[in-house]
Amino acid sequence: MEVVLVSCDTAGGGIILTGKFGPSCYQPLGSVVTGRGPLAAVQCVPGGELFVGLSVSDEILAVDVASARVIGRVRVGWAPRSMTPVPGTPYLLVANAGSDSLSIVDTQARAEAARTGVGREPGQIAASADGALAVLCERGDGAVAVLDLAPLREGRPHRVAVASRTWLGAHVQPRATAIAGDFALIGAARSDVLSVLAVLDGRIEATVALPVAGACPAGIAVTGEGEYALVTLERAGTLAVVDLLEWTTTRQIPAGAGPRGLTIDPDDRSVYCALTGERSLAVVHLDGVDLSNTDGHPQHEAIRAGSRITAVTLARTHIPDP
C-alpha cells in the first residue's frame, strides 16, 4: 500500500503530494490545483478519495490521490476550516467558520446531507474512534461543544445536535483538539494550559501546563498507543509531549518555524508537521524514543513543500487486504 503525504498549501492554492517509500525515503508526486484557501484535507477510508476543504470558495473537493485529479465538488457553508470523518459511517463533518455551522457531508453521494448551527467561529473538530461523538472548538465563543453523532448510525444526519457545551473563557480562543479515550485535549490561542475535557459529561477533568508561555498551541495529535499527545507550539517552534496518564508535559522537541497541523504515521511513529515559516514539512522520527523523559534526541529532517503549508495528512492509494 503506497502512502502519500498530502500538504495543504493555503497560500499557493493547492495540495502537494509526496510519496513515502520508507521511514526516510520520499519522492515528489506532483500537486493538485484546488483554488484559494485549502485549510484541511482528510481521507475517510484507506484507498478512497481525498476531501479538501476550501475556505474561500465554500466547498469541499473530492480528489483521486492516485491520479492527482479533482473528481467531485460539494457545496458547504461559508469558510470551511476543519473536517473529520465519522468512523463506521459514510459521513464527513465540516466546521464552517464563516457561517457558524456544521455541514454533514455524505461522502458516497458527494453531497451535503444536513447543516446545523453551532457556536461562533467553529474551528478544529475531532470525532471519537467509535463514531459516537465529536468535539468542536468554538473559537469565537471561547467554548467547546460535544456533538451527539448517534443519529448518523441510523441514517438521520438532520438529528445531529450539540449534547453539551463547556465555556473556557471569553477570550481564550480554543483552536486545537484531539480525542484520547474518554477525554479531549483542548489547546487555546490565548491560554498557557491545555484543558482536559471529559467528553461524556462536559466537565474539565484537568489542565496541563505548557512549557512555554504564550506559545500558542495550534495542533494536537495522539500517538498510536494512546499514551502521549504531541502539541505544536506555533510561537516556540517546538512540539510539546503530553503524558496522557499523568497529564503532564515530559519534553519539547524542536520542529521549525511556525508549526501548525500535524499527523502521525502509526506504522513507524513518524511525525509530520506543517511549518508555515519554512515552506516545508518537519519530519520527526519517534521510533525507539522514550517520550516519558528527555533522554535521547529524535531524528529530524525536512521535506520541501509549497509556499505556506498549514496542514498535513496521510493518504493511501490502495485498499488494504482483508
Side-chain angles (χ1 to χ4, degrees):
M1 180 188 302
E2 185 177 354
V3 178
V4 178
L5 297 174
V6 181
S7 307
C8 292
D9 187 355
T10 303
I15 57 174
I16 311 299
L17 305 179
T18 305
K20 177 178 179 178
F21 302 96
S24 295
C25 183
Y26 305 97
Q27 178 180 333
L29 299 179
S31 62
V32 179
V33 175
T34 60
R36 296 171 59 195
L39 286 179
V42 65
Q43 187 179 45
C44 297
V45 294
E49 55 205 47
L50 181 80
F51 293 91
V52 182
L54 303 182
S55 60
V56 176
S57 60
D58 310 332
E59 62 182 353
I60 305 298
L61 298 187
V63 175
D64 179 72
V65 179
S67 62
R69 63 187 181 90
V70 176
I71 56 177
R73 298 175 181 267
V74 181
R75 178 68 63 177
V76 292
W78 179 20
R81 184 178 295 274
S82 176
M83 304 184 295
T84 186
V86 180
T89 78
Y91 296 106
L92 176 70
L93 305 181
V94 182
N96 305 310
S99 56
D100 299 339
S101 65
L102 180 77
S103 291
I104 303 171
V105 173
D106 185 332
T107 60
Q108 294 178 346
R110 293 186 194 149
E112 184 184 58
R115 189 183 302 180
T116 185
V118 292
R120 291 172 49 220
E121 199 181 346
Q124 224 94 155
I125 185 170
S128 60
D130 60 3
L133 53 84
V135 175
L136 173 66
C137 291
E138 297 174 334
R139 185 167 180 172
D141 285 333
V144 179
V146 177
L147 304 165
D148 179 11
L149 303 182
L152 295 182
R153 297 281 183 176
E154 305 164 358
R156 298 190 294 176
H158 290 87
R159 293 293 189 91
V160 170
V162 174
S164 67
R165 180 173 279 112
T166 304
W167 276 267
L168 302 181
H171 304 293
V172 300
Q173 299 183 0
R175 66 185 299 214
T177 187
I179 296 178
D182 293 332
F183 300 98
L185 289 172
I186 311 297
R190 296 185 178 181
S191 176
D192 293 332
V193 301
L194 295 180
S195 297
V196 181
L197 178 73
V199 294
L200 297 181
D201 58 17
R203 61 184 170 83
I204 299 299
E205 174 75 11
T207 57
V208 181
L210 294 172
V212 180
C216 199
I220 307 174
V222 177
T223 60
E225 305 86 355
E227 297 177 347
Y228 298 94
L230 302 181
V231 184
T232 57
L233 304 182
E234 185 173 2
R235 292 176 181 167
T238 61
L239 305 178
V241 180
V242 177
D243 187 320
L244 298 181
L245 295 178
E246 301 293 335
W247 300 125
T248 59
T249 55
T250 61
R251 68 188 297 167
Q252 289 188 81
I253 300 173
R260 286 196 184 177
L262 76 165
T263 190
I264 303 174
D265 187 341
D267 292 339
D268 59 12
R269 301 183 76 206
S270 294
V271 181
Y272 301 94
C273 179
L275 300 177
T276 59
E278 297 188 12
R279 299 185 176 185
S280 64
L281 294 177
V283 185
V284 179
H285 300 284
L286 298 181
D287 193 27
V289 177
D290 185 354
L291 295 178
S292 67
N293 54 56
T294 58
D295 294 341
H297 300 284
Q299 293 183 356
H300 184 281
E301 59 184 309
I303 302 173
R304 298 292 295 177
S307 56
R308 186 174 174 82
I309 305 301
T310 58
V312 60
T313 191
L314 290 173
R316 303 181 187 273
T317 56
H318 298 93
I319 299 174
D321 295 331

